[in-house]
Amino acid sequence: MTLSRILRAAAALAVTALGLSACGSQQAAPASGGNDRSTSVVVGLTYIPNVQFAPAYVAVSEGIFTDNGVDASVRHHGSDEGLFTALLAGEEDVVIASGDEAAVASTQGMDLVSIGSYYRDYPGTVIVRDDSPIQSLADLKGATIGIPGEYGSNWYATLAALQGAGLTLADVTVSSIGYTQQAALTQGDVDAVVGFSNNDLVQMRLAGLDVRSIGLPDDAPLIGASIITTRAWAASHPDQARGVVASLGAAMEAIHQRPDAAIEATMAQTGTDSGAEAAARAVLEATDPLWVDESGSANTAQDLERWGMMADFLRQINAVTTDIDVSSVVTNDYAAAPRSS
């Protein structure tokens, strides 16, 4: 499931806990005056306002974009838009999207490039009931695993989990259950589901379910949410591209030091009530480790070796039918010094 699908699947939580409102093209106020699209930057986000996007909200509300020379606003996609539709149409300049989805889309002729890391780690995880005998990925042998369908990030995470455990699809039963992971797991229709540590796992625990998670291997060849644009835009707006990446990184560090900043900025997007705030704090607690390292620093540079591993993995599992040109789909030219693998 892609980042966009993650948040659409979380609609029930968003309605009750994040004050979901019509957000087809909801847009925050620009970081500085004017609406000239020749100089302003629109940061595209997926359908439902969520604290997972707090770095963008905080970078606008606290003037971090402005400090980095960027006149920025944020825009939530309409539910009928493709993830990259507005970006490729020039209605957005940058979009937060999963690296795996951008890599696959690049093989379909889309001019996409990742210019910065948004999630430092991949949040995919296997979720089981607390009383399940499954204690490790290897214990999935013979199990029924529920996923929305055999596509997107949930599917890739499932295959990465099996690979890490030395298993194949022949060792398990994969059940396409749509976005009913919580019900399917609760009712015993499946033995495990593949979800995300800062979304599905949080939702289930907020609902009072006794569940635990088994993470993917540390070397799982997948890339999580990234800062995506087009090569054409980055080449013609290098200072703005660097400013966007620097601003989001600075906002991540600010949120790590002051979590309330993220809550306040998110509540301004979603509406405020006690249930919404409690849910947002739970999601934020699970998301913060994805933004920063142990020291609280947000390194937006990308692991190019991991991108290469992911390209090979996506080809291996037939997610793409042609080789991915890694050098064209990811660059650290607009981010900080690259981190080691």
Side-chain angles (χ1 to χ4, degrees), residues 22-109:
C23 59
S25 59
Q26 183 172 339
Q27 185 167 319
S32 59
N35 293 305
D36 183 357
R37 287 290 291 118
S38 66
T39 59
S40 63
V41 175
V42 177
V43 179
L45 309 173
T46 50
Y47 309 106
I48 300 171
N50 189 285
V51 74
Q52 294 175 56
F53 297 124
Y57 304 151
V58 169
V60 170
S61 65
E62 297 197 358
I64 297 174
F65 279 127
T66 302
D67 292 343
N68 282 288
V70 180
D71 176 15
S73 60
V74 299
R75 176 182 183 271
H76 282 278
H77 301 164
S79 60
D80 58 345
E81 292 183 41
L83 183 55
F84 301 118
T85 301
L87 178 69
L88 295 174
E91 297 171 11
E92 296 171 356
D93 303 297
V94 176
V95 65
I96 304 301
S98 61
D100 48 26
E101 182 160 81
V104 171
S106 74
T107 68
Q108 300 166 359

Side-chain angles (χ1 to χ4, degrees), residues 215-235:
L216 302 185
D218 291 340
D219 60 353
L222 294 171
I223 304 294
S226 303
I227 306 168
I228 309 293
T229 186
T230 65
R231 292 189 300 274
W233 186 84

